[in-house]
Amino acid sequence: MEVQEAIQKITSQFPNGVQLVAVSKYHPKETILEAYEAGQRIFGESKIQELCAKEQSLPADIQWHFIGHLQRNKIKYIVPFISLIHSIDSVQLLQEVNKQAAKKERIIPCLLQVHIAQEETKYGFSLEECKQFCMRKEWQDLENIEIHGLMGMATNTKNQQQVEQEFESLHQLFCSLKESCFQEHAYFKELSMGMSNDYPLAVAHGSTLVRIGTSIFGKRAYT
Ligand SMILES: *Cc1c(COP(=O)(O)O)cnc(C)c1O
């Protein structure tokens, strides 16, 4: 019941067009089913093995999103079923996803992960690298992926102004790419920003996919 209440409380504040990705990493199947029964269908996971085990034993109409750092040699395990990869952090990774997706005759929706935080450990393109890559249009030759938008994580800080500034910088890039390189590609429409501690700011700055774990499922045993 708690899980259902948390989901309802969070999503009732979302404007139209914003979707919840329930981040279920490190939580057991039973907990996921509670959210499923509340109507939640999009779940985010960050470990390949854990994701594959859950996918096999949970309802087939769940849309699984991958949100963690993706190693190239593990792409093949999620290609048959993944519905969105949020965490494309290099051109090489995107090319490899394309290659693996071609083998399975799938077209896989992907987001480009952009490094907007000040923390050094976060993966991703810089704003400038992302812009340059999109403008080169070589992604148009990758027939088995579609770039559905951008993803970013703000710095983990109490400084709201900084967090807002980081989200806004990604929002600006998103809008400008949508109107330029992706103008003829209506699928470019997702901006994945916001976690438990900063999602209201992310939504205020144009997020369309909010990735929330702790505020729904409680604390994880590991992070
Ligand atoms: C774990 C994780 C989240 C969810 O974080 P919470 O603080 O538990 O809401 C969101 N995005 C990514 C990329 C994560 O790894």
Side-chain angles (χ1 to χ4, degrees):
M1 209 55 209
E2 277 175 43
V3 166
Q4 301 199 358
E5 277 168 27
I7 289 177
Q8 267 144 24
K9 188 160 164 247
I10 290 165
T11 55
S12 69
Q13 295 161 8
F14 286 174
N16 278 342
V18 178
Q19 286 189 292
L20 171 67
V21 179
V23 176
S24 48
K25 61 186 184 192
Y26 306 112
H27 290 288
K29 283 185 288 183
E30 294 70 30
T31 312
I32 296 177
L33 279 172
E34 275 185 65
Y36 181 86
E37 275 151 25
Q40 182 64 27
R41 290 295 178 273
I42 306 177
F43 291 89
E45 289 281 337
S46 62
K47 293 276 186 293
I48 298 288
Q49 226 185 340
E50 183 181 347
L51 169 55
C52 292
K54 286 174 174 172
E55 190 272 335
Q56 284 186 0
S57 57
L58 284 162
D61 64 341
I62 287 181
Q63 297 162 43
W64 294 102
H65 287 195
F66 192 77
I67 62 170
H69 179 58
L70 183 55
Q71 289 171 282
R72 277 199 252 176
N73 60 346
K74 293 189 176 164
I75 298 167
K76 56 177 180 281
Y77 301 116
I78 59 168
V79 156
F81 65 85
I82 202 74
S83 66
L84 181 66
I85 300 175
H86 289 232
S87 43
I88 299 293
D89 55 15
S90 71
V91 178
Q92 293 86 330
L93 184 64
L94 189 65
Q95 288 167 340
E96 189 61 26
V97 171
N98 182 63
K99 193 171 139 189
Q100 299 296 332
K103 286 187 191 170
K104 296 271 171 27
E105 297 181 3
R106 282 203 65 201
I107 294 173
I108 299 192
C110 294
L111 305 180
L112 302 177
Q113 181 173 351
V114 183
H115 180 131
I116 50 172
Q118 279 179 356
E119 291 142 2
E120 287 197 357
T121 54
K122 298 269 158 73
Y123 295 99
F125 294 85
S126 69
L127 288 161
E128 188 57 27
E129 283 165 350
C130 180
K131 182 177 164 196
Q132 294 300 330
F133 172 69
C134 291
M135 298 208 330
R136 285 201 301 275
K137 297 234 173 163
E138 56 197 48
W139 50 268
Q140 288 187 330
D141 302 330
L142 304 175
E143 292 178 348
N144 292 83
I145 57 98
E146 280 176 357
I147 300 176
H148 281 213
L150 307 178
M151 181 271 227
M153 275 182 271
T155 305
N156 186 8
T157 171
K158 289 210 167 68
N159 183 341
Q160 298 224 341
Q161 223 183 332
Q162 184 185 345
V163 171
E164 284 198 80
Q165 209 183 329
E166 291 170 358
F167 283 148
E168 188 51 30
S169 68
L170 192 58
H171 183 220
Q172 289 296 325
L173 178 63
F174 172 75
C175 293
S176 80
L177 293 175
K178 194 170 160 57
E179 284 162 20
S180 55
C181 320
F182 293 98
Q183 203 175 30
E184 284 156 29
H185 301 280
Y187 55 69
F188 187 92
K189 61 183 176 55
E190 304 296 354
L191 183 54
S192 169
M193 308 193 298
M195 309 178 20
S196 291
N197 58 359
D198 58 17
Y199 74 87
L201 292 179
V203 168
H205 288 271
S207 175
T208 65
L209 281 175
V210 180
R211 310 176 312 269
I212 300 183
T214 309
S215 294
I216 296 171
F217 299 117
K219 281 215 173 74
R220 292 177 287 271
Y222 314 91
T223 53

